[in-house]
């Protein structure tokens, strides 16, 4: 995994398309204690520090009712990542493998996700635990943790089951 933009042995850098197919709105900013990638945790922890998610107007209006949820899924834009490595060699073993078999921040669309504990809502700010991103990371979405939802209808024959090919 590339943490400081170096290209390691066995990694493959590809040409990025000339233009993007879609745009995103940054809807807020995440405040964490981490200012460099090497000191940042690789995944958030429930016992990690309390971090701030600051919503920009007008998207702060979308926080209505969010306090009903103990856990949220946070999606953020890993803005300091390069995006062009199709094969990456994690430092742990040095064996190159495809980007989609890794949770590396270096991805064609550098979207990070974390399930966080909602500690408190303070106006346009959420206090949460469980993040793993740099201070100033752009926020792209918030959703209630999917495991808090039950399916609307009971499972039926023919439904996709986890573990099916
Ligand atoms: N939890 C997310 C996921 O699984 O989608 C992100 C995991 S990624 C392995 C976390 C690492 O990304 C951190 O350890 C840090 O090295 C890097 N990182 C964090 N914030 C970043 C940012 N804003 N831009 C680039 N890299 C970032």
């Amino acid at each position: 995994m590339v943490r400081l933009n170096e290209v390691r042995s066995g990694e493959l850098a590809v040409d990025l398309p000339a233009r993007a197919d879609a745009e995103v709105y940054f809807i807020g900013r995440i405040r964490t204690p981490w200012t460099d990638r090497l000191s940042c945790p690789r995944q958030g922890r429930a016992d990690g520090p309390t971090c701030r998610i600051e919503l920009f107007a007008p998207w702060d209006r979308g926080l209505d009712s969010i306090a009903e949820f103990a856990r949220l899924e946070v999606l953020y834009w890993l803005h300091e990542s390069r995006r062009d490595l199709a094969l990456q060699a994690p430092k742990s073993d040095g064996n190159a493998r495809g980007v989609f078999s890794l949770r590396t921040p270096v991805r064609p669309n550098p979207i990070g996700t974390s399930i966080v504990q909602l500690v408190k809502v303070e106006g346009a700010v959420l206090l949460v635990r469980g993040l793993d991103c740099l201070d100033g990371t752009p926020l792209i979405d918030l959703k209630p943790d999917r495991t808090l939802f039950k399916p609307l209808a009971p499972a039926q024959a023919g439904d996709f089951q986890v573990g099916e090919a």
Side-chain angles (χ1 to χ4, degrees), residues 84-102:
D84 62 341
L85 293 187
L87 294 179
Q88 297 176 38
K91 198 171 182 184
S92 54
D93 64 12
N95 294 327
R97 62 197 80 164
V99 54
F100 306 121
S101 66
L102 297 165

Side-chain angles (χ1 to χ4, degrees), residues 1 3 37 40-43 76-81 103 105 111-114 132-134 137:
M1 184 181 306
R3 303 192 85 195
R37 280 180 277 177
C40 205
R42 302 188 79 83
Q43 291 296 336
Y76 36 98
W77 192 257
L78 297 160
H79 65 309
E80 292 194 9
S81 286
R103 291 206 70 99
I111 295 169
T113 70
S114 288
D132 57 9
C133 60
L134 292 174
T137 294

Side-chain angles (χ1 to χ4, degrees), residues 119-136:
V119 177
K120 198 173 180 191
V121 182
E122 289 181 347
V125 175
L126 304 182
L127 301 183
V128 304
R129 299 176 81 151
L131 282 169
D132 57 9
C133 60
L134 292 174
D135 186 45

Side-chain angles (χ1 to χ4, degrees), residues 19-65:
R19 62 174 188 81
D21 297 308
E23 294 179 354
V24 296
Y25 298 114
F26 290 160
I27 59 168
R29 182 188 305 110
I30 301 177
R31 293 293 185 200
T32 73
W34 305 292
T35 55
D36 71 88
R37 280 180 277 177
L38 294 182
S39 64
C40 205
R42 302 188 79 83
Q43 291 296 336
R45 297 170 52 119
D47 61 353
T50 300
C51 300
R52 292 167 61 87
I53 299 179
E54 302 170 350
L55 273 286
F56 300 146
W59 308 111
D60 55 328
R61 301 295 306 272
L63 292 179
D64 181 57
S65 302

Side-chain angles (χ1 to χ4, degrees), residues 3-24:
R3 303 192 85 195
L4 289 176
N5 289 336
E6 75 276 27
V7 178
R8 300 194 183 119
S9 171
E11 294 188 326
L12 173 67
V14 298
D15 292 333
L16 290 171
R19 62 174 188 81
D21 297 308
E23 294 179 354
V24 296

